[in-house]
Amino acid sequence: MDISVDMKSKAASFRDQLESRLKRFPPWHYAPIVSNIINDVFIDRKHMGRYPLHFLIHSIQANCSFYNPNRNDILTEKKLQHILNHYRKYFDPVAEYFLTQENGVEPYFVNLSRQQLSLQWGHDANSMGRSIKLFIEKTYPKSEKYIHDNYNISFKDWFKIGFAISAFIETRKPMVISLVQFINSHKKIATDQAINSFFQENSVSPEDIKEFNMQIESKIGSTFALFYDTYLQGVFVDKPMLRIGETDYLIIHKELFMSRVQEGLFTLCKKGIPSDFGNEFGNNF
């Protein structure tokens, strides 16, 4: 894709102005407020126009990356809408490029789907049952050994811990969970080691997010990272828990968390032992 000077300028201006708006709010203040809105809007979808989920989640990641420790501003509804209006008025260069091409409508909607639709999917008893059927009621000798040896957790414990966290946060607002409190109140669910491993594997700190963004930029180049910023897979897809205190973790979006619980074992095994896992999963499927 050829990037014109004008398109690059738009992308750079978007990021610079976004940084100026977000750097003033501490992540441990900004993220819980915005996460509340994300989870409320998912339930009452008539508000999605006012609070687009993909903008809100992107803004949490950007806030963690841009935050200036010397600032400690309070987020208000007016300030949040000022941030969201900046997203809304940005006719991004990816959309501009595709919509000016003869055959660009299809790739435009593919990118739009990747950017937005995964955040709008829900997870019910059927999807949970499907995961349990595939991973707990079947045998994966090599894959389970890989997970146990590398992550100190069993397939069964992965789902038990994930579903227990989901139940624990169901009525909490914001959806904050203390690792210490969870361990002490759920001693029989799994070992402390397994619970610690689950939290570690599925969480990220604001400092980790800065490193994540730097790695993306290093991998694809600063220009393309800038250009595709709002389309890149966010850190919360694989790490849906944001550490906002020494032992406190915020579930950014419950549906992202449930996606990770149900698909995480597949992702880890596919990445770690693709051939062995592919054979075992294929047979079980």
Side-chain angles (χ1 to χ4, degrees):
M1 179 186 296
D2 294 328
I3 302 176
S4 69
V5 174
D6 179 61
M7 294 166 77
K8 184 177 178 181
S9 176
K10 285 183 180 180
S13 177
F14 168 76
R15 179 180 288 185
D16 289 345
Q17 292 183 49
L18 187 63
E19 179 177 359
S20 72
R21 287 164 170 77
L22 288 172
K23 68 181 181 182
R24 63 191 70 175
F25 306 110
W28 49 92
H29 167 67
Y30 185 88
I33 293 174
V34 177
S35 176
N36 279 345
I37 296 172
I38 290 169
N39 289 289
D40 286 347
V41 168
F42 184 84
I43 295 172
D44 191 357
R45 299 190 175 211
K46 67 175 179 286
H47 297 297
M48 277 192 181
R50 183 171 177 80
Y51 301 104
L53 299 185
H54 59 299
F55 289 160
L56 292 171
I57 290 177
H58 183 277
S59 77
I60 295 177
Q61 182 169 331
N63 168 249
C64 290
S65 184
F66 295 145
Y67 171 56
N68 182 340
N70 296 318
R71 300 293 297 269
N72 192 27
D73 290 15
I74 301 299
L75 182 67
T76 64
E77 171 64 18
K78 183 177 180 179
K79 292 176 181 177
L80 178 58
Q81 285 303 323
H82 189 53
I83 292 167
L84 292 177
N85 284 338
H86 179 61
Y87 279 101
R88 292 189 188 99
K89 70 181 182 181
Y90 175 55
F91 191 65
D92 67 85
V94 174
E96 183 175 353
Y97 173 82
F98 283 132
L99 294 179
T100 56
Q101 303 301 303
E102 183 177 352
N103 299 314
V105 174
E106 181 178 348
Y108 166 77
F109 278 109
V110 168
N111 278 276
L112 191 69
S113 173
R114 294 179 60 191
Q115 183 191 46
Q116 300 184 34
L117 297 188
S118 62
L119 304 177
Q120 300 175 21
W121 294 336
H123 297 84
D124 56 16
N126 288 330
S127 59
M128 295 178 193
R130 192 159 49 243
S131 296
I132 292 171
K133 189 76 175 177
L134 272 172
F135 286 96
I136 295 183
E137 296 188 7
K138 304 294 182 178
T139 57
Y140 294 81
K142 294 180 180 179
S143 301
E144 284 211 78
K145 183 177 186 305
Y146 168 77
I147 291 294
H148 184 271
D149 291 348
N150 288 274
Y151 300 99
N152 299 306
I153 193 170
S154 68
F155 276 19
K156 186 175 182 179
D157 284 345
W158 175 278
F159 286 108
K160 287 171 64 179
I161 295 168
F163 293 155
I165 291 174
S166 175
F168 187 90
I169 63 171
E170 184 64 34
T171 59
R172 300 179 74 88
K173 192 173 182 179
M175 292 183 176
V176 175
I177 182 169
S178 164
L179 173 58
V180 173
Q181 183 182 3
F182 185 78
I183 288 176
N184 291 337
S185 61
H186 294 82
K187 289 184 179 180
K188 295 182 180 180
I189 284 183
T191 65
D192 291 359
Q193 186 181 38
I195 294 173
N196 273 298
S197 178
F198 184 93
F199 272 73
Q200 181 177 352
E201 183 56 35
N202 294 296
S203 68
V204 64
S205 70
E207 293 74 23
D208 294 332
I209 289 176
K210 290 184 179 181
E211 179 62 27
F212 174 87
N213 290 339
M214 289 173 61
Q215 290 178 359
I216 291 290
E217 188 167 315
S218 176
K219 182 178 181 179
I220 69 175
S222 58
T223 297
F224 281 102
L226 180 72
F227 190 66
Y228 284 105
D229 189 62
T230 61
Y231 287 92
L232 295 171
Q233 176 174 303
V235 65
F236 299 123
V237 172
D238 289 334
K239 307 283 187 178
M241 306 170 74
L242 176 64
R243 185 157 55 84
I244 57 173
E246 194 167 330
T247 64
D248 289 340
Y249 296 78
L250 171 71
I251 309 299
I252 295 294
H253 179 20
K254 186 179 178 182
E255 300 308 319
L256 272 183
F257 177 76
M258 291 308 299
S259 290
R260 178 63 175 173
V261 173
Q262 294 176 55
E263 301 167 8
L265 291 175
F266 180 96
T267 302
L268 293 174
C269 291
K270 186 67 175 177
K271 181 178 180 181
I273 48 171
S275 181
D276 288 336
F277 173 69
N279 290 331
E280 290 182 341
F281 182 82
N283 290 333
N284 287 320
F285 187 83

